[in-house]
Amino acid sequence: GKDRLASSRMGKYSVDIPEHSKSCKARGSNLRVHYKNTHETAEAIKGLSLTRAQKYLRDVIEHKDAIPFRKHMGGVGRKAQVKKYKGATQCRWPVKSCKFLLDLLTNAESNAEINSLDTESLYITHIQVNRAPKMRRRTYRAHGRINPYMSSPCHVEMILSEKAEKDNVKKGESAGSNTVARRATQGGGGFSE
């Protein structure tokens, strides 16, 4: 009963972190910003340090840098600015998504200061963007017809950890990696006889 009450108040994250780990969290629900743009922006800052991520997002807002679009890239133009990112040819400057993520990073930074963490050594170890329920409006078309005019909001959650914690998380993931994949590399074909 007590655990369920605590999780309903704080909100549930898709990743569990230990109670006394050197980490801080921030989340936003039903944000009125496009899911696809925010997903690409979040993927671009995953794994960066807090200060590097903030500088990168500010540079994108000023068009000094760009967000490479790798998944949701239908109709996205090809730009020379994306050449420095491996495997990407298309990019954009999603200003609104950058502002929302900057606000969440600022929130996480203040949470870290409250928990007396070193903000200089924080890295984004987990960031996730999910679709939220669409909001409905309508637009008026020719010949008296009406079409839907939906918005695509999103939920964002992030966890920032100190450098030592980040290394431990990486080691923990590799130690508990998929056994089928491990067997496949050993030549067992992924299945035990």
Side-chain angles (χ1 to χ4, degrees):
K2 183 182 171 188
D3 292 339
R4 193 179 323 138
L5 183 67
S7 69
S8 67
R9 257 186 282 136
M10 290 175 20
K12 195 160 167 56
Y13 284 74
S14 65
V15 173
D16 291 323
I17 58 171
E19 187 71 29
H20 299 292
S21 67
K22 295 187 175 183
S23 301
C24 60
K25 302 190 270 191
R27 67 183 294 146
S29 297
N30 296 302
L31 304 178
R32 279 298 291 272
V33 60
H34 293 312
Y35 160 75
K36 290 182 179 182
N37 289 348
T38 311
H39 173 271
E40 296 291 355
T41 310
E43 286 297 312
I45 65 169
K46 187 184 284 185
L48 297 181
S49 69
L50 174 63
T51 50
R52 175 74 187 98
Q54 288 174 326
K55 182 184 183 316
Y56 178 46
L57 293 176
R58 285 193 202 99
D59 285 349
V60 170
I61 290 170
E62 295 169 10
H63 285 230
K64 292 179 185 172
D65 211 335
I67 300 290
F69 275 54
R70 293 189 157 96
K71 182 178 179 185
H72 305 291
M73 55 193 202
V76 178
R78 298 177 296 197
K79 300 283 183 285
Q81 205 171 20
V82 80
K83 284 181 183 175
K84 62 182 172 182
Y85 301 108
K86 189 176 182 201
T89 56
Q90 296 157 285
C91 69
R92 275 187 177 165
W93 303 269
V95 171
K96 192 171 177 183
S97 295
C98 289
K99 287 180 178 174
F100 272 83
L101 287 178
L102 265 173
D103 288 345
L104 275 176
L105 285 173
T106 306
N107 190 339
E109 187 176 15
S110 62
N111 292 344
E113 287 167 0
I114 288 168
N115 294 338
S116 64
L117 300 177
D118 178 22
T119 55
E120 294 298 313
S121 63
L122 285 176
Y123 283 77
I124 301 170
T125 51
H126 167 74
I127 184 165
Q128 179 175 311
V129 181
N130 294 328
R131 291 180 196 268
K134 292 193 171 188
M135 299 175 76
R136 180 175 287 276
R137 288 182 290 172
R138 58 195 200 171
T139 185
Y140 301 93
R141 308 307 295 264
H143 310 296
R145 290 173 302 129
I146 291 172
N147 280 2
Y149 203 71
M150 314 283 270
S151 69
S152 302
C154 60
H155 308 305
V156 182
E157 64 179 46
M158 60 175 69
I159 297 174
L160 282 73
S161 304
E162 285 190 2
K163 179 71 171 167
E165 291 285 322
K166 180 188 171 202
D167 295 340
N168 290 343
V169 168
K170 290 276 189 242
K171 288 176 191 164
E173 285 175 0
S174 62
S177 64
N178 189 347
T179 54
V180 173
R182 206 177 316 125
R183 279 196 215 112
T185 57
Q186 293 169 353
F191 300 100
S192 59
E193 284 78 35

